[in-house]
Amino acid sequence: METYGMDSHEHATALACIVDAIPSTERSAHFSLLSHLFGTRVQAKVDVPNGSAFRFPPDAFGQLAEFVSRERLCCPFLAFEIRVLADHGPLWLHMTGPEGTREFLAAELPAASGVKLTLRKVVSEF
């Protein structure tokens, strides 16, 4: 398993959202996509150093890429990594940042908080 450390940029970035960074014409679609992904598509959530990782089905790649492209505008303190597993396996979205990021994600993505995966399965996918 790889270590997830923060780079110097993450240390300097405040844990604060910039709501109007997403153009007003795209905001509604972004929050609908967020609700869809983390309310119905997420299959698992795992705490990682400085954040959380979320498991999605293989066909969610386009939606995840769209989500990340907008979310990084309003939450510049977050680092994103989409992992695509071999053989059409599941996708993992890692979201990490400064101290407090995991708590921020739990508060902002409450539907995903109740989703868990067994440690054995996680180790085999990481």
Side-chain angles (χ1 to χ4, degrees):
M1 189 189 287
E2 159 178 333
T3 303
Y4 292 88
M6 292 187 300
D7 62 24
S8 60
H9 176 74
E10 289 174 310
H11 284 291
T13 305
L15 189 73
C17 293
I18 306 167
V19 178
D20 61 350
I22 298 173
S24 60
T25 56
E26 298 176 19
R27 232 172 271 147
S28 178
H30 177 69
F31 290 114
S32 290
L33 179 58
L34 184 150
S35 294
H36 174 67
L37 284 171
F38 293 94
T40 62
R41 303 291 322 263
V42 68
Q43 298 174 329
K45 174 187 171 270
V46 176
D47 291 338
V48 296
N50 303 316
S52 299
F54 302 90
R55 183 180 189 244
F56 292 90
D59 67 343
F61 183 80
Q63 292 174 323
L64 287 175
E66 181 181 342
F67 167 75
V68 169
S69 72
R70 288 190 187 124
E71 191 68 13
R72 66 190 303 253
L73 298 174
C74 68
C75 295
F77 62 90
L78 287 174
F80 300 90
E81 178 184 348
I82 299 174
R83 289 188 177 184
V84 180
L85 299 184
D87 296 323
H88 306 287
L91 307 172
W92 281 92
L93 172 62
H94 293 246
M95 298 188 332
T96 58
E99 185 176 335
T101 295
R102 187 177 308 132
E103 294 77 12
F104 168 83
L105 294 172
E108 292 298 312
L109 307 171
S113 295
V115 181
K116 298 287 182 193
L117 192 64
T118 65
L119 183 59
R120 189 168 133 202
K121 183 68 172 170
V122 169
V123 171
S124 71
E125 290 184 2
F126 274 58

